[in-house]
Amino acid sequence: MASRLVRILPAWSRVRLGSVAGARFVSQTPSPGAAGSPAVSGLSPVEHSDDHGHVEVSVYEKNRDFHGFHKDPQVDVWNMKVAFFFGISVAIVIGGTFVHYLPDHGMRQWARREAERLIKEREAEGIAVLDGNYYDPSKIILPSAGDEE
């Protein structure tokens, strides 16, 4: 176990989940002044240079399979696989376990157990399992015929 952990630790040092250090978020909408001009061209890769003369290159030009997790392609693929593993696989397993252990919906299992218990009890006492009267007729108090008005 320790030998596996020693082999994995160097890989974890490169992994930064959700890292956006150094990323730039640039709006792709045209400026309001260019809205009415007939010669608005499509978006083309524009290379901007900073104060030191370095040219900024799009991450998509360096790595066509960019997933948005990291600039390094290997770390980007690793972070994508880890994110999808935990986001989908673990969610399905934990979600399925949660749904499986939810309480009895509508108390159907309880009602069946209660019915089986009552049937066994009535069979042991020698009483009919089903009776035409829901209530015991000897316990119902009816008004006398003279009390009706």
Side-chain angles (χ1 to χ4, degrees), residues 117-129:
R117 186 189 65 80
L118 286 174
I119 288 172
K120 287 179 185 177
E121 180 182 303
R122 289 183 179 187
E123 286 176 348
E125 294 176 0
I127 305 173
V129 176

Side-chain angles (χ1 to χ4, degrees), residues 41-134:
S41 62
L43 296 175
S44 61
V46 179
E47 296 181 351
H48 298 284
S49 59
D50 59 1
D51 296 338
H52 303 292
H54 297 152
V55 177
E56 180 181 329
V57 181
S58 172
V59 180
Y60 293 105
E61 291 177 17
K62 291 181 184 177
N63 179 14
R64 297 279 182 198
D65 295 330
F66 183 66
H67 301 289
F69 292 100
H70 198 270
K71 288 182 179 180
D72 182 20
Q74 292 175 340
V75 176
D76 184 49
V77 169
W78 172 255
N79 285 346
M80 185 257 322
K81 288 179 180 179
V82 168
F84 277 96
F85 173 75
F86 284 110
I88 295 173
S89 300
V90 173
I92 288 173
V93 170
I94 292 174
T97 305
F98 177 76
V99 169
H100 181 272
Y101 285 105
L102 282 175
D104 182 24
H105 182 70
M107 297 180 67
R108 292 185 186 118
Q109 294 173 353
W110 173 85
R112 177 155 186 121
R113 286 193 311 265
E114 184 69 14
E116 290 173 356
R117 186 189 65 80
L118 286 174
I119 288 172
K120 287 179 185 177
E121 180 182 303
R122 289 183 179 187
E123 286 176 348
E125 294 176 0
I127 305 173
V129 176
L130 292 176
D131 191 11
N133 298 319
Y134 187 74

